[in-house]
Amino acid sequence: MMPSTMTVVQLCCCLCLVMVTTTFGRLHPRNLTDNRLIRRNLLGNGLGGTPQMGWSSWNHFACNIHESMIRETADAMVSSGLSSLGYEYINIDDCWAEQNRDSQGNMVAKGSTFPSGIKALADYVHGKGLKLGLYSDAGTQTCSKTMPGSLGHEYQDANTFASWGVDYLKYDNCNNENRSPRERYPTMSKALQNSGRAIFYSICEWGGDNPATWASPVGNSWRTTGDISDDWGSMTSRADMNDQWASYAGPGGWNDPDMLEVGNGGMSFGEYRSHFSIWALAKAPLIIGCDLRSMDQSAHDILSNSEVIAVNQDKLGVQGRKIKEYGDNLQVWAGPLSGNRKAVVLWNRGSSKADITAQWSDIGLDSSTVVDARDLWAHSTKGSVKGQISASVEPHDCSMFVLTPKK
């Protein structure tokens, strides 16, 4: 349960960050204490200053992966221009290893699909100016049951990953012997920190034990939800589940509502635009889940919107949240940015076109404030806006703005 008064832990936050967040939060319709930034000790690996950006194999390929495809994806990340926008991790998910460990107890890359081994692949990815991520599980086997998990082998596996040049570990939660995640996940955290290599630690506990409340000293991000699917209902429900933990996120440790589905074909352009906008505003990891080698132009246009990405990567690092709802389907999401700016998403989750308005009082601006309103999808600016921002929004779509007060 969140505290009703400032705790000693909260006082450890940077004073200016707390002031920005609590000021913004006062205008939220939920209880005041829900909006105070709650930060504890952080994992001391120096990573995750902003939400991680990259690509993962799972959403599109599942177990159908091989080293040539990973190399081609790294090539596509660069040639598409996405790497220049901050997407840097190429993450291999489940099914990369042999079923059994070698005679020394080490994990071994699957010979039929990764014959060159992980180190050679890491070298290739690093040669592209990118970073390589790998997957394991805080259980006896991974979720696919095609390879061993790391439970009981944490230090050995962390050292192996480091020796291969791995930069990122997604750590799943299957086959866990019904042991508490609060016991299992810190062990791998310590092992990674002792490995001699800075490895981003992505906790994939599915949100069952409320990791937002305990994982900031353990990992750089933590899943707050179950797995996403490539459909509107799944995407919106994960946005809602993640929203309740907004106060716990910040530089060094982020809430993770799962990877992006943009480009996989199950949603419309407007739905994917909403998906990307809300993930960006909520400071969620921007981990692409489609086939970069064959993505269409509309997917590229969404994923490469540098203005939306800038909201996600803003140095203030405060997660935006849902602040107002008209009925069940018309919503205002917003959050503070550096430079006293505000990011606003007007989200139409209904079935018909609708006008949506955010009043200055909703988003923490004084009623007399005059702003320049930058439309991040139209790439246009409306000057000297007073009192409110409005848009006519198509069904299952959104408008997104950055509001900059005029001096």
Side-chain angles (χ1 to χ4, degrees):
M1 180 178 293
M2 296 184 186
S4 59
T5 59
M6 272 294 193
T7 64
V8 172
V9 172
Q10 286 171 298
L11 290 174
C12 294
C13 301
C14 172
L15 180 60
C16 64
L17 192 54
V18 173
M19 289 174 66
V20 168
T21 307
T22 54
T23 299
F24 184 81
R26 277 203 301 271
L27 297 164
H28 193 279
R30 291 184 287 197
N31 185 281
L32 228 181
T33 55
D34 286 343
N35 298 275
R36 288 179 175 161
L37 188 67
I38 299 172
R39 303 295 292 141
R40 296 157 307 284
N41 294 327
L42 293 171
L43 176 61
N45 62 5
L47 302 175
T50 57
Q52 67 268 36
M53 296 176 63
W55 172 89
S56 170
S57 60
W58 184 255
N59 282 4
H60 189 86
F61 295 98
C63 282
N64 299 313
I65 56 174
H66 53 83
E67 64 179 41
S68 295
M69 180 265 285
I70 300 300
R71 287 195 182 97
E72 291 165 3
T73 298
D75 294 343
M77 184 71 88
V78 175
S79 64
S80 66
L82 292 173
S83 63
S84 66
L85 297 172
Y87 295 97
E88 61 177 344
Y89 291 104
I90 301 294
N91 294 342
I92 306 169
D93 210 281
D94 203 351
C95 311
W96 60 268
E98 294 285 3
Q99 179 80 55
N100 299 309
R101 295 172 178 271
D102 67 14
S103 59
Q104 284 76 47
N106 296 311
M107 296 180 84
V108 180
K110 192 172 182 179
S112 61
T113 50
F114 292 88
S116 301
I118 301 301
K119 186 181 187 305
L121 198 52
D123 290 344
Y124 184 87
V125 169
H126 293 158
K128 294 287 180 179
L130 303 170
K131 298 178 180 179
L132 186 76
L134 212 55
Y135 167 100
S136 190
D137 188 281
T140 55
Q141 289 181 303
T142 63
C143 295
S144 69
K145 296 187 177 180
T146 64
M147 55 177 278
S150 292
L151 188 64
H153 293 266
E154 292 88 351
Y155 284 85
Q156 183 173 17
D157 291 350
N159 288 335
T160 297
F161 302 153
S163 72
W164 288 342
V166 170
D167 303 293
Y168 185 111
L169 179 66
K170 175 183 172 182
Y171 204 45
D172 219 333
N173 194 33
C174 289
N175 306 301
N176 57 39
E177 298 184 336
N178 294 317
R179 291 163 59 179
S180 168
R182 302 190 193 209
E183 168 196 350
R184 291 177 289 114
Y185 282 91
T187 306
M188 179 56 85
S189 177
K190 294 173 185 175
L192 292 173
Q193 291 181 81
N194 289 338
S195 72
R197 185 174 181 83
I199 298 177
F200 191 105
Y201 188 29
S202 171
I203 294 173
C204 184
E205 182 268 351
W206 319 322
D209 197 36
N210 301 335
T213 64
W214 55 265
S216 63
V218 179
N220 298 115
S221 66
W222 43 85
R223 279 277 294 280
T224 55
T225 72
D227 287 359
I228 194 171
S229 299
D230 186 20
D231 63 78
W232 174 255
S234 176
M235 183 271 287
T236 56
S237 65
R238 271 130 196 84
D240 293 339
M241 286 186 280
N242 186 66
D243 185 46
Q244 66 183 304
W245 304 110
S247 298
Y248 291 86
W254 306 100
N255 292 318
D256 179 5
D258 206 7
M259 297 171 285
L260 295 166
E261 291 283 5
V262 177
N264 279 328
M267 287 185 266
S268 68
F269 180 85
E271 290 170 340
Y272 281 141
R273 174 159 57 186
S274 299
H275 181 15
F276 194 67
S277 298
I278 292 296
W279 261 237
L281 181 84
K283 303 299 186 290
L286 298 182
I287 302 296
I288 299 169
C290 69
D291 187 348
L292 291 182
R293 304 169 302 171
S294 60
M295 66 177 166
D296 62 23
Q297 188 61 48
S298 65
H300 184 271
D301 288 347
I302 291 171
L303 295 169
S304 64
N305 187 321
S306 60
E307 296 188 78
V308 176
I309 291 170
V311 170
N312 180 260
Q313 298 289 298
D314 182 71
K315 64 183 180 180
L316 188 62
V318 176
Q319 179 174 328
R321 62 198 312 170
K322 180 168 61 179
I323 64 166
K324 192 169 186 177
E325 190 163 11
Y326 303 89
D328 295 328
N329 296 315
L330 305 181
Q331 298 179 350
V332 176
W333 292 59
L337 300 174
S338 58
N340 296 316
R341 298 169 301 143
K342 309 291 183 184
V344 179
V345 175
L346 306 179
W347 194 9
N348 183 358
R349 291 166 60 161
S351 58
S352 58
K353 188 174 183 178
D355 294 332
I356 306 175
T357 298
Q359 303 287 343
W360 277 191
S361 58
D362 297 329
I363 58 178
L365 289 174
D366 186 87
S367 60
S368 63
T369 300
V370 179
V371 307
D372 288 335
R374 178 69 174 176
D375 186 325
L376 304 191
W377 290 107
H379 302 294
S380 62
T381 302
K382 185 177 181 181
S384 300
V385 179
K386 302 176 182 178
Q388 64 184 38
I389 185 75
S390 299
S392 183
V393 185
E394 296 291 336
H396 288 201
D397 204 345
C398 74
S399 292
M400 188 172 188
F401 301 91
V402 167
L403 309 181
T404 303
K406 295 175 72 70
K407 296 180 180 179

